[in-house]
Short mmCIF file of all heavy atoms in Angstrom, two decimals:
data_model
loop_
_atom_site.label_atom_id
_atom_site.label_comp_id
_atom_site.label_asym_id
_atom_site.label_seq_id
_atom_site.Cartn_x
_atom_site.Cartn_y
_atom_site.Cartn_z
N LYS A 97 -8.04 49.23 -19.63
CA LYS A 97 -7.82 50.36 -18.73
C LYS A 97 -7.51 51.62 -19.53
O LYS A 97 -7.21 51.56 -20.72
CB LYS A 97 -6.65 50.06 -17.77
CG LYS A 97 -6.86 48.86 -16.87
CD LYS A 97 -5.63 48.60 -16.02
CE LYS A 97 -5.81 47.40 -15.13
NZ LYS A 97 -4.62 47.14 -14.28
N ASP A 98 -7.57 52.77 -18.84
CA ASP A 98 -7.13 54.02 -19.46
C ASP A 98 -5.79 54.43 -18.84
O ASP A 98 -5.28 53.78 -17.92
CB ASP A 98 -8.18 55.12 -19.28
CG ASP A 98 -8.54 55.34 -17.81
OD1 ASP A 98 -7.84 54.79 -16.93
OD2 ASP A 98 -9.53 56.04 -17.54
N ASN A 99 -5.23 55.51 -19.33
CA ASN A 99 -3.90 55.94 -18.87
C ASN A 99 -3.88 56.25 -17.39
O ASN A 99 -2.90 55.95 -16.69
CB ASN A 99 -3.45 57.16 -19.67
CG ASN A 99 -2.91 56.78 -21.05
OD1 ASN A 99 -2.96 55.61 -21.42
ND2 ASN A 99 -2.41 57.74 -21.79
N SER A 100 -4.94 56.88 -16.87
CA SER A 100 -4.96 57.26 -15.46
C SER A 100 -4.90 56.04 -14.56
O SER A 100 -4.22 56.04 -13.53
CB SER A 100 -6.22 58.08 -15.16
OG SER A 100 -7.38 57.32 -15.45
N GLU A 101 -5.58 54.98 -14.94
CA GLU A 101 -5.57 53.77 -14.12
C GLU A 101 -4.26 53.01 -14.29
O GLU A 101 -3.75 52.42 -13.33
CB GLU A 101 -6.74 52.87 -14.50
CG GLU A 101 -6.91 51.66 -13.58
CD GLU A 101 -8.17 50.87 -13.87
OE1 GLU A 101 -8.97 51.30 -14.73
OE2 GLU A 101 -8.36 49.81 -13.23
N ILE A 102 -3.71 53.03 -15.50
CA ILE A 102 -2.45 52.32 -15.75
C ILE A 102 -1.31 52.95 -14.95
O ILE A 102 -0.49 52.24 -14.35
CB ILE A 102 -2.12 52.33 -17.26
CG1 ILE A 102 -3.11 51.44 -18.01
CG2 ILE A 102 -0.69 51.85 -17.50
CD1 ILE A 102 -2.99 51.52 -19.52
N PHE A 103 -1.26 54.29 -14.91
CA PHE A 103 -0.17 54.99 -14.22
C PHE A 103 -0.48 55.28 -12.75
O PHE A 103 0.29 55.98 -12.10
CB PHE A 103 0.15 56.30 -14.95
CG PHE A 103 0.73 56.09 -16.32
CD1 PHE A 103 0.00 56.45 -17.45
CD2 PHE A 103 1.97 55.53 -16.49
CE1 PHE A 103 0.52 56.27 -18.72
CE2 PHE A 103 2.50 55.33 -17.75
CZ PHE A 103 1.77 55.71 -18.87
N SER A 104 -1.57 54.74 -12.26
CA SER A 104 -1.91 54.95 -10.85
C SER A 104 -1.15 54.01 -9.93
O SER A 104 -1.26 54.12 -8.71
CB SER A 104 -3.42 54.78 -10.64
OG SER A 104 -3.81 53.44 -10.92
N GLY A 105 -0.42 53.07 -10.50
CA GLY A 105 0.37 52.14 -9.70
C GLY A 105 -0.19 50.74 -9.69
O GLY A 105 0.47 49.80 -9.21
N ASP A 106 -1.40 50.54 -10.23
CA ASP A 106 -2.02 49.22 -10.25
C ASP A 106 -2.03 48.70 -11.69
O ASP A 106 -3.08 48.47 -12.28
CB ASP A 106 -3.45 49.31 -9.70
CG ASP A 106 -4.05 47.92 -9.47
OD1 ASP A 106 -3.29 46.95 -9.39
OD2 ASP A 106 -5.30 47.84 -9.38
N VAL A 107 -0.83 48.52 -12.24
CA VAL A 107 -0.73 48.12 -13.65
C VAL A 107 -1.21 46.69 -13.86
O VAL A 107 -1.87 46.39 -14.86
CB VAL A 107 0.74 48.25 -14.13
CG1 VAL A 107 0.86 47.85 -15.58
CG2 VAL A 107 1.22 49.68 -13.92
N ALA A 108 -0.90 45.80 -12.93
CA ALA A 108 -1.23 44.39 -13.10
C ALA A 108 -2.55 44.01 -12.45
O ALA A 108 -2.93 42.84 -12.49
CB ALA A 108 -0.10 43.53 -12.53
N GLY A 109 -3.25 44.97 -11.87
CA GLY A 109 -4.47 44.64 -11.16
C GLY A 109 -5.68 44.50 -12.07
O GLY A 109 -5.63 44.73 -13.27
N LYS A 112 -10.79 48.53 -12.86
CA LYS A 112 -11.91 49.07 -12.09
C LYS A 112 -13.14 49.27 -12.96
O LYS A 112 -14.27 49.14 -12.51
CB LYS A 112 -11.49 50.41 -11.45
CG LYS A 112 -10.36 50.27 -10.45
CD LYS A 112 -9.95 51.64 -9.89
CE LYS A 112 -8.78 51.50 -8.92
NZ LYS A 112 -8.32 52.83 -8.43
#
Side-chain angles (χ1 to χ4, degrees):
K97 299 177 181 181
D98 55 11
N99 281 4
S100 60
E101 187 173 355
I102 291 173
F103 293 112
S104 65
D106 190 18
V107 180
K112 297 178 182 177

